[in-house]
Amino acid sequence: MTHEQADDPKDRQLGRDRVDDTDATLTTQQGVQVDHTDDSLSIGERGPTIMEDFHAREKLTHFDHERIPERVVHARGAGAYGHFKPYDSWLSEYTSAGFLTDPARQTPVFVRFSTVAGSRGSADTVRDVRGFATKFYTRQGNYDLVGNNMPVFFIQDGVKFPDFVHAVKPEPHNEIPQAASAHDTLWDFVSLQPETLHMILWLMSDRALPRSYRMMQGFGVHTFRLVNAEGRGTFVKFHWTPKLGTHSLVWDEAQKIAGKDPDFNRRDLWDSIEAGEFPEWELGVQLVDEADESEFDFDLLDATKLIPEERVPVRPVGRMVLDRNPDNFFAETEQVAFHTANLVPGIDFSNDPLLQARNFSYLDTQLIRLGGPNFAQLPVNRPVAEVHNDQRDGYGQHRIHTSRTSYTKNTLSGGCPVLADSGAFSHYAEKIEGHKIRERSDSFKDFYSQATLFWNSMSEVEAEHLVAAFRFELGKVEDTDIRARVVEELNHVDHSLARRVAEGVGVEPPAKETTANHGRSSAALSQLNTRLDQPATRKVAILVADGVDGDGTERLVASLRAQGLIPEKLAPTAGSVRAAGGGEIAVDRAINTMASVLYDGVAVPCGSESVATLSVDGYALHFVAEAYKHAKPIACFGSGLDMLRAAGVNAELAATTEVTVHLGVVTTTAARDELPDRFTEAFAAQLAAHRVWERNTDTVPA
Ligand code: HDD
């Protein structure tokens, strides 16, 4: 894990703080060696423990103080290091930020992904927004892009943030429910705050259930400003596009994973980096000339709005790769401190009132969370750029300033540190005039058009999922007035949406539409229009038992691996199984310790004895049926077809040696050495497409 990369300045810097306990002797914090840590110092064998036991007191005291407050939002997360490099220098026309414009420069990064509402120990696969926060350790100082996997936000002004968070978090009287938005207070808030509607549609969409952090888009959300060397400003929105496409779980699956493997997304990120399958994203920008600021039918400063890509295309800037897991979760992932105001020259704020509030909140929250003003000195937060200033003292001060002065100007230290004469951050000189008022701009008051745009852009299956999510969430709301008010709000978005939701939650469907649907859509908003050609890292369960076709199974495993997939052999018990032609096949896991929800697809090899065993094994049958229910690709060869029949798979299973694909089920009666390459190729293509949405699984029990 710890492999210092000579060309990575951040990694070299972290190396100075890493502690390696190999061959080391146990000591106190003072470095005094300890030879006994199992028994306290006491008077006699059965007598009282004595105060003098400084080792026991130090050990317990440290333990008692181990916890720090979790993040008030985004408490649950996972992080990794990596690097970013621009493709070329085209963006220098718009920004002086070297890390975005110098293709020879590789900038170290740390990225933390997170859920929002749950506490630190909550499950990964809950319905929620995902945080996507990137710290760029640039030569010009740290730049933080603190984004989400959805391009808009719930509210327009940060002063509403505590209200919103209080509404979505567990209810205060009983702290229920954990990490879930399906409860009365959230929907009460939503029904009274129409600006939430657009983001609520994103939250009810498949975007809230990412299959993997590696398969999520990321967005800076706000309109920021790029500033070039001449001081010219251009509005910008930042986008991260994952190499593997944008894919989601289905709701039933997500809920089950929350129990089977609450660390599902965290583990996936960790494992893929350990396996050398480094997650990758492309950074892109949407640019808007300042002169065109008022050319849109929404306000660029309103964080509940996106700029449709059809209107302003996303232009590629560079590539980010995450290639190193942290050494210590607490030291790095927990203590990393992001801040929207960590800017470098060439990037500046806009007047988005949500962003302006964030610029206060992130610094403020670290003071309570990390216990004082010196958190920027923690290894993960430390810039690779040099730090010199007159800020002194405070809890946890690690730096030993040798200078006699801690003020500017001075003569006693030769005026040092001196003011920068070039390369300094210079705030964009925007001309502002106005009265001091507490009012929402009229340009922020269209709450529905973009919610409608999002709804119109969903494919049929995505729209179905969205309606089902509303029915689930509102169905959990006890107060029927709240349910009815939300349906009324949805009627402003789309009449059919409101009716479909109403019918599922026992509310009178609205008789007529309140707002006519404008009929516009944006192809970029549907996940099904992202990449569907990347099978790499998909996990496949291969169900085997004694008497399995050993040659065919190993052939399948090898060819799946060759295509970058991760096959695992599962049998009724751990250890190994006997192959039909003799010999043993090692088993990766016992079926009952896993579940189909932890895999992207399932394969059943040939072997009449093996298939007969699996066809009467409840775990195995459920495994296949559940994978089918969740629209996952399934493959089987030879007598493996019988297992699918036993599991009630209702796709056509052609009894032919030809490779046949029907409703995502890939079959051939060929086995052993006859198994054609096209079989695994067809299976891999199905896995790359993620799910088989045309399959009707309504009658399959889940
Ligand atoms: Fe925030 C954490 C993303 C609005 C206040 N936020 C936090 C994190 C992410 C975001 C990814 C986790 C960072 C990490 O991994 O440590 N937040 C967003 C986005 C927003 C947004 C994309 C809207 C565009 N946030 C927002 C507002 C406020 C905050 C309006 C307050 C006015 N957010 C916080 C915070 C947190 C935080 C309370 C908790 C822990 C932390 O900052 O470091 O200050």
Side-chain angles (χ1 to χ4, degrees):
M1 191 176 20
T2 303
H3 41 85
E4 280 175 40
Q5 295 169 352
D7 58 343
D8 184 326
K10 184 63 195 175
D11 194 42
R12 269 201 314 274
Q13 184 198 59
L14 289 168
R16 298 201 284 272
D17 285 292
R18 289 191 181 113
V19 178
D20 181 1
D21 291 331
T22 317
D23 297 330
T25 302
L26 189 71
T27 72
T28 65
Q29 292 280 16
Q30 306 306 321
V32 176
Q33 294 200 357
V34 173
D35 65 354
H36 194 146
T37 191
D38 292 350
D39 299 289
S40 314
L41 197 65
S42 60
I43 310 283
E45 276 173 16
R46 302 179 61 251
T49 303
I50 55 178
M51 282 277 280
E52 186 179 311
D53 188 351
F54 59 83
H55 167 58
R57 272 194 291 131
E58 179 195 82
K59 186 174 168 183
L60 290 177
T61 305
H62 196 279
F63 171 75
D64 293 342
H65 294 257
E66 268 175 19
R67 289 290 166 271
I68 63 170
E70 65 173 32
R71 288 168 175 82
V72 59
V73 282
H74 296 264
R76 168 93 186 158
Y81 293 96
H83 49 84
F84 172 79
K85 208 172 188 184
Y87 298 132
D88 47 41
S89 57
W90 75 268
L91 203 60
S92 56
E93 190 188 332
Y94 301 96
T95 178
S96 57
F99 81 101
L100 291 175
T101 55
D102 177 359
R105 199 177 294 189
Q106 179 162 299
T107 299
V109 298
F110 184 81
V111 177
R112 183 174 178 273
F113 302 104
S114 47
T115 52
V116 179
S119 51
R120 237 188 99 177
S122 57
D124 280 347
T125 58
V126 297
R127 174 174 293 284
D128 202 350
V129 186
R130 298 301 185 282
F132 189 143
T134 308
K135 190 179 284 294
F136 296 85
Y137 303 96
T138 90
R139 290 185 202 171
Q140 295 168 293
N142 284 354
Y143 170 61
D144 292 355
L145 182 56
V146 197
N148 280 339
N149 75 329
M150 301 179 190
V152 290
F153 201 63
F154 296 97
I155 46 168
Q156 297 173 319
D157 188 319
V159 73
K160 294 297 297 168
F161 191 67
D163 298 309
F164 164 68
V165 174
H166 288 169
V168 71
K169 281 269 185 180
E171 300 196 6
H173 57 304
N174 55 10
E175 217 189 30
I176 296 175
Q178 177 56 241
S181 46
H183 60 110
D184 286 46
T185 55
L186 185 259
W187 291 98
D188 189 22
F189 182 85
V190 167
S191 71
L192 302 170
Q193 202 77 34
E195 72 203 66
T196 56
L197 258 244
H198 184 197
M199 180 65 162
I200 284 293
L201 257 73
W202 282 83
L203 184 69
M204 293 302 109
S205 79
D206 292 349
R207 303 278 179 156
L209 311 171
R211 154 66 181 87
S212 160
Y213 290 139
R214 304 175 292 124
M215 301 171 195
M216 292 188 325
Q217 287 180 309
F219 302 90
V221 181
H222 309 281
T223 301
F224 292 91
R225 204 186 308 259
L226 294 180
V227 184
N228 72 4
E230 289 78 48
R232 183 167 62 88
T234 306
F235 289 121
V236 62
K237 291 237 189 220
F238 292 106
H239 293 243
W240 289 115
T241 307
K243 183 181 162 196
L244 297 177
T246 306
H247 306 294
S248 294
L249 303 168
V250 297
W251 180 226
D252 177 64
E253 180 189 20
Q255 291 177 89
K256 288 172 174 166
I257 296 174
K260 299 272 182 189
D261 184 6
D263 306 303
F264 184 73
N265 290 139
R266 177 183 282 194
R267 189 188 307 284
D268 168 274
L269 179 68
W270 179 275
D271 285 354
S272 60
I273 293 175
E274 289 300 292
E277 290 284 355
F278 301 137
E280 266 185 57
W281 287 261
E282 180 171 89
L283 181 70
V285 288
Q286 286 178 297
L287 298 178
V288 177
D289 262 12
E290 294 210 331
D292 297 336
E293 182 176 7
S294 17
E295 295 297 301
F296 298 86
D297 56 2
F298 57 89
D299 198 319
L300 285 182
L301 304 184
D302 174 358
T304 66
K305 305 296 187 299
L306 51 83
I307 307 179
E309 290 184 31
E310 289 75 13
R311 183 76 195 276
V312 180
V314 179
R315 298 171 64 182
V317 174
R319 172 172 162 267
M320 177 169 77
V321 179
L322 299 183
D323 58 1
R324 197 158 49 79
N325 278 317
D327 289 292
N328 183 284
F329 185 91
F330 180 85
E332 294 162 287
T333 310
E334 192 60 21
Q335 293 199 109
V336 68
F338 292 95
H339 185 13
T340 46
N342 286 350
L343 293 184
V344 292
I347 308 177
D348 209 331
F349 311 120
S350 68
N351 296 325
D352 173 344
L354 194 77
L355 175 58
Q356 297 279 327
R358 293 181 76 190
N359 289 339
F360 165 75
S361 213
Y362 287 73
L363 176 57
D364 186 44
T365 205
Q366 313 308 349
L367 298 177
I368 179 84
R369 200 168 73 78
L370 299 169
N374 290 316
F375 60 85
Q377 295 180 23
L378 290 166
V380 66
N381 295 326
R382 214 181 300 153
V384 295
E386 285 199 25
V387 175
H388 297 281
N389 56 47
D390 295 314
Q391 295 168 31
R392 290 288 183 275
D393 308 346
Y395 285 113
Q397 176 62 258
H398 275 57
R399 310 187 90 200
I400 304 170
H401 294 101
T402 54
S403 165
R404 182 176 168 196
T405 61
S406 49
Y407 54 89
T408 301
K409 307 163 180 163
N410 69 65
T411 57
L412 293 175
S413 304
C416 295
V418 296
L419 296 175
D421 53 13
S422 67
F425 187 90
S426 136
H427 289 271
Y428 181 69
E430 188 183 4
K431 185 162 184 284
I432 305 280
E433 271 177 59
H435 297 280
K436 203 185 284 179
I437 50 166
R438 201 185 274 283
E439 255 173 46
R440 193 73 56 98
S441 164
D442 281 342
S443 58
F444 278 46
K445 287 184 182 156
D446 167 13
F447 304 128
Y448 305 113
S449 297
Q450 286 212 349
T452 308
L453 180 81
F454 183 70
W455 167 250
N456 291 349
S457 309
M458 296 291 95
S459 62
E460 203 177 312
V461 65
E462 288 169 311
E464 259 171 44
H465 289 172
L466 205 146
V467 169
F470 267 111
R471 287 177 166 198
F472 179 95
E473 297 264 324
L474 282 184
K476 293 264 187 189
V477 168
E478 285 164 17
D479 186 312
T480 43
D481 290 347
I482 295 178
R483 288 191 224 162
R485 283 206 304 273
V486 173
V487 167
E488 267 170 44
E489 282 300 311
L490 292 178
N491 204 31
H492 289 280
V493 177
D494 180 74
H495 185 55
S496 69
L497 168 65
R499 287 191 68 88
R500 284 165 75 178
V501 173
E503 280 157 15
V505 299
V507 164
E508 190 61 36
K512 52 182 189 357
E513 67 183 9
T514 16
T515 315
N517 186 319
H518 54 58
R520 290 191 298 274
S521 62
S522 163
L525 302 182
S526 164
Q527 268 180 247
L528 295 193
N529 293 328
T530 70
R531 290 188 81 158
L532 296 173
D533 61 350
Q534 298 287 304
T537 74
R538 295 317 188 105
K539 288 183 81 175
V540 178
I542 304 179
L543 303 187
V544 297
D546 280 338
V548 71
D549 168 0
D551 293 345
T553 303
E554 296 301 13
R555 220 182 131 83
L556 174 65
V557 167
S559 66
L560 287 174
R561 279 212 185 109
Q563 299 189 57
L565 290 117
I566 306 172
E568 287 184 354
K569 284 163 282 179
L570 275 60
T573 53
S576 60
V577 292
R578 180 173 38 76
E584 299 271 300
I585 292 195
V587 165
D588 298 297
R589 296 166 193 279
I591 295 177
N592 67 339
T593 64
M594 301 303 282
S596 80
V597 291
L598 305 176
Y599 294 89
D600 296 291
V602 185
V604 186
C606 184
S608 45
E609 187 191 344
S610 163
V611 167
T613 306
L614 294 171
S615 297
V616 293
D617 180 320
Y619 279 117
L621 288 170
H622 182 254
F623 204 103
V624 172
E626 193 181 47
Y628 192 71
K629 169 88 185 169
H630 294 150
K632 292 177 180 173
I634 297 179
C636 62
F637 60 91
S639 52
L641 272 72
D642 294 336
M643 164 80 188
L644 265 53
R645 291 192 185 99
V649 165
N650 60 10
E652 281 164 30
L653 305 173
T656 156
T657 53
E658 292 294 309
V659 174
T660 312
V661 184
H662 184 242
L663 297 177
V665 182
V666 184
T667 53
T668 168
T669 53
R672 283 183 286 272
D673 301 341
E674 306 290 307
L675 195 62
D677 287 341
R678 216 185 87 59
F679 175 71
T680 26
E681 283 161 16
F683 189 30
Q686 294 294 317
L687 287 155
H690 187 58
R691 297 292 160 99
V692 190
W693 299 121
E694 60 272 26
R695 205 184 268 168
N696 179 0
T697 58
D698 289 349
T699 55
V700 181

